[in-house]
Amino acid sequence: MSRRSFVSTAATSVAALATLGTAGGNAEAQLVYTKADWKISEFNQLAKNPARVKQVYDIIPIAEGRFLNNIKNSLNGMHFGFGIPEEQIKVVAALHGPANMLNYDDFIWNKYQIGAWLKVNDPSTSQPTVKNPYYPSKAGAALHYSTKDPDSRDSIYQDTSIQALQHRGVKMLSCHTATEEQARALIAHNNLTQQPEEIVKEMLTHTLPGVQVVPSMVAAIALLQTDGRYSYITV
């Protein structure tokens, strides 16, 4: 599902954009982040990261999480194959389109039935997943591995979970524009009565640890390339 299809699917919901009633007053629908709305200094630090090798992965389809294996292979190849110290490698996963939903936790996946919506199955049941299937490491929350042998499936170097890759320094980015579009698509798909900004606020509250939300992913990728000299990879 492309960004265009998200917008198309949610077309019937766009007319419903309205002021949300909150305890502190009214919150207008916000389709566009402005400079004051997000942590731009954090992004600038990411762009200016002094690492020797910097890559940004432009990721739109979930595609059974295959991009995670690509990132793992890149990290291993640069560190073990080319001898580049880990601290001299910086990889950014720029998730937008359907892949943007991988930035959110199990609460969002369960409440809004994301697996059924995006046709993402739980590998253990072959049924639509009710949790984010690509976040947790099989090694557990403490990331305890039985070996440090990079050739072993039981090492962090062969762990393709988001949690393990974040531990190795990969930065996950979430697209605010995609989140706005997806909230509207979910309203249309699930016949919800909630207002779009109510869902967006809830989704942003449930981003995975370490994820940074950027205003527009296509803009962020451009700046990582021009200002940060990140090499561009699309999968």
Side-chain angles (χ1 to χ4, degrees):
M1 185 181 295
S2 67
R3 175 173 293 176
R4 180 177 296 176
S5 64
F6 278 126
V7 177
S8 176
T9 302
T12 57
S13 303
V14 174
L17 292 176
T19 300
L20 298 180
T22 64
N26 294 327
E28 296 293 338
Q30 184 180 17
L31 291 170
V32 178
Y33 259 5
T34 63
K35 187 176 179 179
D37 294 322
W38 66 294
K39 299 177 181 178
I40 190 169
S41 61
E42 182 180 331
F43 177 80
N44 289 337
Q45 289 178 1
L46 179 66
K48 298 296 185 180
N49 187 290
R52 172 185 168 188
V53 181
K54 298 190 285 187
Q55 293 180 319
V56 55
Y57 281 76
D58 184 358
I59 304 157
I60 296 176
I62 294 176
E64 299 179 334
R66 288 191 291 272
F67 71 91
L68 297 167
N69 192 61
N70 291 116
I71 293 175
K72 180 264 293 182
N73 288 341
S74 180
L75 290 172
N76 289 346
M78 286 189 284
H79 179 52
F80 294 106
F82 288 91
I84 301 171
E86 291 179 325
E87 63 272 16
Q88 287 298 315
I89 302 168
K90 191 63 186 179
V91 175
V92 173
L95 307 181
H96 53 137
N100 185 59
M101 295 307 302
L102 298 181
N103 286 304
Y104 300 106
D105 66 17
D106 293 350
F107 175 88
I108 295 297
W109 278 71
N110 182 45
K111 179 173 181 178
Y112 294 106
Q113 298 296 294
I114 304 302
W117 178 43
L118 296 181
K119 297 180 172 55
V120 178
N121 290 338
D122 185 329
S124 64
T125 65
S126 298
Q127 297 298 313
T129 185
V130 292
K131 58 186 178 181
N132 185 334
Y134 302 111
Y135 173 67
S137 170
K138 293 180 180 179
L143 295 178
H144 285 156
Y145 298 89
S146 61
T147 177
K148 294 183 179 180
D149 178 3
D151 291 321
S152 173
R153 292 290 178 186
D154 296 324
S155 74
I156 192 172
Y157 302 108
Q158 298 302 327
D159 189 337
T160 58
S161 68
I162 291 173
Q163 188 177 28
L165 292 175
Q166 285 181 312
H167 187 74
R168 296 182 67 183
V170 175
K171 185 66 175 180
M172 310 290 291
L173 298 184
S174 174
C175 179
H176 174 261
T177 300
T179 302
E180 291 282 352
E181 293 168 351
Q182 286 163 341
R184 287 153 178 78
L186 282 168
I187 288 172
H189 184 268
N190 294 341
N191 296 315
L192 302 176
T193 59
Q194 295 162 274
Q195 294 290 342
E197 290 308 302
E198 182 181 352
I199 297 175
V200 169
K201 182 179 180 180
E202 185 174 51
M203 291 171 69
L204 294 178
T205 300
H206 287 273
T207 55
L208 295 175
V211 169
Q212 182 179 13
V213 181
V214 300
S216 163
M217 195 61 72
V218 289
I221 290 171
L223 289 169
L224 287 172
Q225 290 179 275
T226 57
D227 292 359
R229 299 183 181 276
Y230 279 73
S231 61
Y232 173 86
I233 300 174
T234 182
V235 294

